[in-house]
Amino acid sequence: MTTSKMIAGLMGPTLIAIAVAMLLNLDSFPVLVEQVARDPTLIFLSGVLLFVAGLAIVRAHNIWSGGWPVLVTVLGWLALLSGLGRMFFPTRLAAIAAQIGQSRGLIAGAAVVLLVVGGFLSFKAYSRD
């Protein structure tokens, strides 16, 4: 359980920070996404970082039973697979990002999901058993 708490203690606050940043920059997010979509190299490099982070989580924490720690494993696998997708298909994902990035509602919804998941992981990581 200590590995689960350690990784959740990193992932939770990170997801919260990302979500809050998304919400604070909601008006400028379409412009940011458009700029990123014009640079597949940035998408590729973010894929490398996501792949390494996901691989590290999966290598240290590939737990598929036991309650909430499964969420840590699932997020690790999602990061790994997302990283691979960004590395293998950066130009295709740039086009998709350009379309999705124009929807403020979708961005706000994604931010809320990240906020809830990050809050849950932070609670589990920093609370006593």
Side-chain angles (χ1 to χ4, degrees):
M1 187 65 80
T2 57
T3 303
S4 299
K5 283 190 158 221
M6 182 184 71
I7 295 171
L10 295 169
M11 291 174 74
T14 300
L15 293 177
I16 290 171
I18 291 169
V20 171
M22 288 171 71
L23 292 170
L24 288 175
N25 294 297
L26 195 57
D27 289 337
S28 61
F29 220 81
V31 174
L32 294 171
V33 172
E34 182 183 327
Q35 290 174 353
V36 169
R38 280 191 247 135
D39 191 0
T41 303
L42 187 58
I43 293 172
F44 178 84
L45 289 175
S46 71
V48 171
L49 295 174
L50 261 176
F51 177 77
V52 171
L55 186 60
I57 292 167
V58 168
R59 293 268 302 140
H61 192 279
N62 200 19
I63 298 171
W64 290 100
S65 63
W68 73 267
V70 173
L71 179 60
V72 173
T73 301
V74 168
L75 291 175
W77 276 105
L78 286 174
L80 189 148
L81 295 173
S82 178
L84 283 176
R86 290 175 188 208
M87 289 189 302
F88 292 163
F89 310 108
T91 53
R92 287 186 195 156
L93 290 176
I96 293 169
Q99 291 175 342
I100 291 174
Q102 300 307 311
S103 172
R104 284 187 173 88
L106 191 57
I107 293 167
V112 169
V113 169
L114 291 176
L115 192 60
V116 169
V117 172
F120 176 78
L121 289 175
S122 294
F123 174 77
K124 288 298 189 177
Y126 295 106
S127 66
R128 294 184 181 169
D129 289 332

